[in-house]
């Protein structure tokens, strides 16, 4: 569907904000909230997902829409008058892939999601002009595959090198509120926007009957959280790398970041060791901690350059893929990707848990769901050098499906002959390559 007339008008207003940023690249922006009116909130509503769980007020998207214009007008008046209060976030625990553990997620009210989307729409054109090209996470028109492609291009261009693989412990829950406000105020001086962000940072978290107020971290489950996290790491890591690190290096280096996942590739070991030494101190200054066991330096030199070495080049993981050197069809060394072991295991556990919980549903229903899950897996992991892994995943899914069908069958064990006959009647999608790159 094309843009509505209102959406087109909002696009023009977003471009005016971007033009203001280009005109005053160094000056703090003091007047941004005036862009937010009912038309702006209507567009924010349109961009907000409608299928999420309800927050503490129990109001769904469908219920909110019944009096949409009245609700948006009241919301706007509350924002402009300063009377708007950020509601507490409802926290629930959902099972992880293997079903043995749970992870907490925050669920804001639907109205709060709309307002956060509206503020995000104002801030995004401001910071998109500031973010560096090597930052890929939660940005318009950018993806994890583009980040992996950047790693591929850089390592191929440098013929390998040394890779600093880092892991930030509990990043989204440990962002320092005071530091975040300082970073925001360098570019944003609009009191309405800063007060709203402050209210979201201080909003309570309701878990059962217990209310708590986190002193660190981005808003729980908030639409605006990824942008705030990007702004934080832009200052903590990206700007620091460009301003202070790269000018002091003896050779080439590149940073690729997707949200809080990042690697730094160095041409020389000495440069890598120097940065590894100071990086934890830099993060500590902003209240962040690098995981001591998951942050490491990996020799990633092209094998042809390491003749006579007792051990081959290492591998590193980024965004669900293990990156490694392998021979191309033409016999040349190239960087390849395969599904990381922990991601493969996690995906298998999710399939097994789903089959266990839905084992008594009709086979046609199970098949439809498994097809959707397999296609989703192929859509992400189906890259040029990873066909064997996605094919293996399909095979493992068939094994799991057979196992759970056997448990529910009154005729006893489902043999492979019976399973193959069933797969002819209810076939699962074949593995395929969705994302190609040169090998």
């Amino acid at each position: 569907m094309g843009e509505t007339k209102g959406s087109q008008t909002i696009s023009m207003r977003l471009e005016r904000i971007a033009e203001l940023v280009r005109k005053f690249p160094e000056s703090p922006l003091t007047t941004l909230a005036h862009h937010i009116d009912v038309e702006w909130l209507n567009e924010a509503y349109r961009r907000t997902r409608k299928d999420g769980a309800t927050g503490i007020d129990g109001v769904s998207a469908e219920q909110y829409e019944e009096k949409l214009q009245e609700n948006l007008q009241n919301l706007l008046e509350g924002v402009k008058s300063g009377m708007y209060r950020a509601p507490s976030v409802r926290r629930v625990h959902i099972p992880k892939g293997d079903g043995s553990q749970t992870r907490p997620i925050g669920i804001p009210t639907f109205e709060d999601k709309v307002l956060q989307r509206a503020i995000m729409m104002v801030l995004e054109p401001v910071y998109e002009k500031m973010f560096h090209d090597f930052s890929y996470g939660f940005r318009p028109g950018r993806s994890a595959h583009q980040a992996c492609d950047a790693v591929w291009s850089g390592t191929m261009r440098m013929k390998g090198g040394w890779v600093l693989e880092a892991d930030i412990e509990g990043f989204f829950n440990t962002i320092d509120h005071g530091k975040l406000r300082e970073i925001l105020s360098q570019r944003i001086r609009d009191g309405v926007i800063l007060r709203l962000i402050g209210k979201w940072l201080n909003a309570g978290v309701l878990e059962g009957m217990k209310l708590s107020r986190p002193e660190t971290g981005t808003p729980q489950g908030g639409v605006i959280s990824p942008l705030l996290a990007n702004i934080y790491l832009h200052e903590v890591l990206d700007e620091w790398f460009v301003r202070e690190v790269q000018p002091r290096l003896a050779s080439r280096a590149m940073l690729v970041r997707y949200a809080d996942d990042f690697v730094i590739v160095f041409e020389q070991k000495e440069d890598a060791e120097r940065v590894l030494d100071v990086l934890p101190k830099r993060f500590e200054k902003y209240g962040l901690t690098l995981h001591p066991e998951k942050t490491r330096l990996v020799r990633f030199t092209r094998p042809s350059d390491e003749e006579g070495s007792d051990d081959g080049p290492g591998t590193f993981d980024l965004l669900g893929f293990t990156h490694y050197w392998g021979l191309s069809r033409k016999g040349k060394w190239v960087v390849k990707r395969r599904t990381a072991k922990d991601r493969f295991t996690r995906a298998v556990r999710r399939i097994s848990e789903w089959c266990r919980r839905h084992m008594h549903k009709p086979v046609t229903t199970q098949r439809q769901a498994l097809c959707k899950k397999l296609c989703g897996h192929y859509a992400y992991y189906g890259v040029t050098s990873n066909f064997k892994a996605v094919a293996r995943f399909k095979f493992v899914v068939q094994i799991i499906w057979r196992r759970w069908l056997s448990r529910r069958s009154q005729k006893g064990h489902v043999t492979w002959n019976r399973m193959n006959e069933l797969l002819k009647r209810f076939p699962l999608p074949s593995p395929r390559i969705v994302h190609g790159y040169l090998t």
Side-chain angles (χ1 to χ4, degrees):
M1 293 179 62
E3 283 189 319
T4 64
K5 183 177 179 181
S7 299
Q8 293 172 349
T9 304
I10 297 299
S11 295
M12 294 173 60
R13 292 163 65 181
L14 289 170
E15 180 54 37
R16 285 201 291 271
I17 296 175
E19 180 59 34
L20 183 67
V21 175
R22 285 191 289 268
K23 189 174 181 180
F24 303 102
E26 303 296 332
S27 303
L29 303 176
T30 58
T31 54
L32 290 172
H34 71 278
H35 289 284
I36 301 174
D37 53 18
V38 172
E39 184 181 31
W40 191 278
L41 290 176
N42 266 294
E43 179 63 15
Y45 167 81
R46 188 185 71 82
R47 297 187 185 188
T48 302
R49 285 184 56 180
K50 313 297 192 298
D51 56 352
T54 60
I56 62 169
D57 60 359
V59 177
S60 66
E62 291 77 11
Q63 292 171 318
Y64 194 82
E65 188 178 14
E66 291 174 1
K67 296 182 178 180
L68 180 61
Q69 298 310 311
E70 180 182 338
N71 288 333
L72 294 182
Q73 184 62 50
N74 291 337
L75 176 61
L76 179 64
E77 290 174 1
V79 169
K80 297 296 184 181
S81 66
M83 298 298 291
Y84 181 82
R85 296 182 62 185
S88 298
V89 175
R90 183 168 68 91
R91 178 185 283 170
V92 297
H93 291 262
I94 62 173
K96 290 187 176 181
D98 58 0
S100 62
Q101 295 179 316
T102 62
R103 64 183 177 90
I105 61 168
I107 305 174
T109 64
F110 181 76
E111 183 171 74
D112 211 35
K113 292 178 184 178
V114 172
L115 183 55
Q116 287 193 30
R117 177 68 64 184
I119 299 301
M120 184 176 171
M121 286 164 54
V122 174
L123 294 180
E124 206 165 55
V126 176
Y127 284 98
E128 275 299 308
K129 299 300 177 184
M130 298 174 60
F131 290 155
H132 294 285
D133 286 340
F134 53 73
S135 168
Y136 291 88
F138 304 111
R139 293 181 59 190
R142 288 176 169 250
S143 69
H145 288 101
Q146 289 176 331
C148 289
D149 289 343
V151 171
W152 183 89
S153 299
T155 49
M156 288 293 291
R157 187 169 56 249
M158 285 192 266
K159 299 180 180 180
W162 292 81
V163 176
L164 200 168
E165 184 181 10
D167 180 87
I168 308 173
E169 291 190 281
F171 170 65
F172 287 93
N173 294 326
T174 56
I175 290 177
D176 185 291
H177 289 175
K179 295 287 186 182
L180 177 58
R181 289 190 180 95
E182 288 178 15
I183 293 170
L184 286 168
S185 65
Q186 293 173 10
R187 199 72 178 101
I188 307 297
R189 297 284 176 84
D190 187 300
V192 173
I193 291 177
L194 291 178
R195 279 193 297 273
L196 280 174
I197 293 174
K199 290 178 180 180
W200 288 321
L201 292 175
N202 294 326
V205 175
L206 185 65
E207 187 169 357
M209 299 298 292
K210 183 179 179 181
L211 181 67
S212 61
R213 297 192 181 276
E215 297 181 358
T216 59
T218 54
Q220 289 271 322
V223 173
I224 202 170
S225 291
L227 177 59
L228 294 179
N230 258 345
I231 292 169
Y232 201 71
L233 277 182
H234 171 76
E235 178 64 27
V236 175
L237 179 62
D238 302 356
E239 279 288 282
W240 173 73
F241 181 76
V242 171
R243 289 192 317 252
E244 300 182 31
V245 175
Q246 281 188 313
R248 291 178 169 85
L249 299 179
S251 58
R252 291 181 294 177
M254 62 170 288
L255 166 66
V256 174
R257 181 175 68 81
Y258 186 94
D260 60 326
D261 290 326
F262 69 93
V263 294
I264 310 177
V265 184
F266 300 88
E267 199 168 26
Q268 292 186 11
K269 182 180 180 180
E270 293 75 14
D271 287 336
E273 290 176 333
R274 288 169 57 200
V275 173
L276 178 59
D277 182 57
V278 299
L279 190 65
K281 302 170 188 174
R282 172 68 181 180
F283 276 70
E284 185 180 354
K285 179 180 177 182
Y286 288 86
L288 303 175
T289 304
L290 291 177
H291 196 294
E293 295 178 1
K294 296 181 181 180
T295 300
R296 62 193 184 110
L297 201 58
V298 179
R299 183 175 65 79
F300 199 67
T301 310
R302 194 169 66 178
S304 58
D305 297 335
E306 290 294 319
E307 295 178 2
S309 176
D310 293 334
D311 55 340
T315 65
F316 65 93
D317 290 353
L318 180 69
L319 299 173
F321 291 100
T322 296
H323 301 251
Y324 67 100
W325 285 100
L327 288 172
S328 69
R329 293 179 180 179
K330 296 181 180 179
K332 295 183 179 180
W333 288 106
V334 295
V335 177
K336 296 186 175 184
R337 298 172 218 158
R338 61 173 177 259
T339 309
K341 288 183 180 179
D342 62 333
R343 294 297 182 90
F344 189 92
T345 301
R346 187 189 307 174
V348 168
R349 285 174 175 170
R350 285 176 177 166
I351 293 291
S352 183
E353 176 62 18
W354 187 91
C355 287
R356 182 189 69 79
R357 287 187 284 109
H358 300 87
M359 62 183 291
H360 295 296
K361 288 191 173 181
V363 171
T364 53
T365 303
Q366 293 186 36
R367 185 249 178 188
Q368 289 175 353
L370 291 175
C371 285
K372 188 177 295 186
K373 292 178 186 299
L374 279 169
C375 288
H377 190 87
Y378 301 158
Y380 188 79
Y381 292 103
V383 300
T384 299
S385 57
N386 199 37
F387 184 81
K388 286 184 179 180
V390 292
R392 178 169 167 252
F393 184 71
K394 180 193 175 182
F395 180 67
V396 173
V397 169
Q398 291 176 165
I399 293 174
I400 293 170
W401 195 18
R402 171 177 167 264
R403 180 193 308 148
W404 286 105
L405 287 175
S406 293
R407 294 195 180 189
R408 73 115 180 234
S409 175
Q410 295 179 348
K411 297 179 180 180
H413 184 67
V414 177
T415 66
W416 269 112
N417 286 336
R418 288 177 59 194
M419 189 65 191
N420 288 331
E421 287 298 319
L422 183 143
L423 289 170
K424 288 179 183 178
R425 294 168 54 205
F426 305 101
L428 297 177
S430 299
R432 60 193 181 96
I433 298 303
V434 179
H435 308 278
Y437 63 94
L438 295 175
T439 58

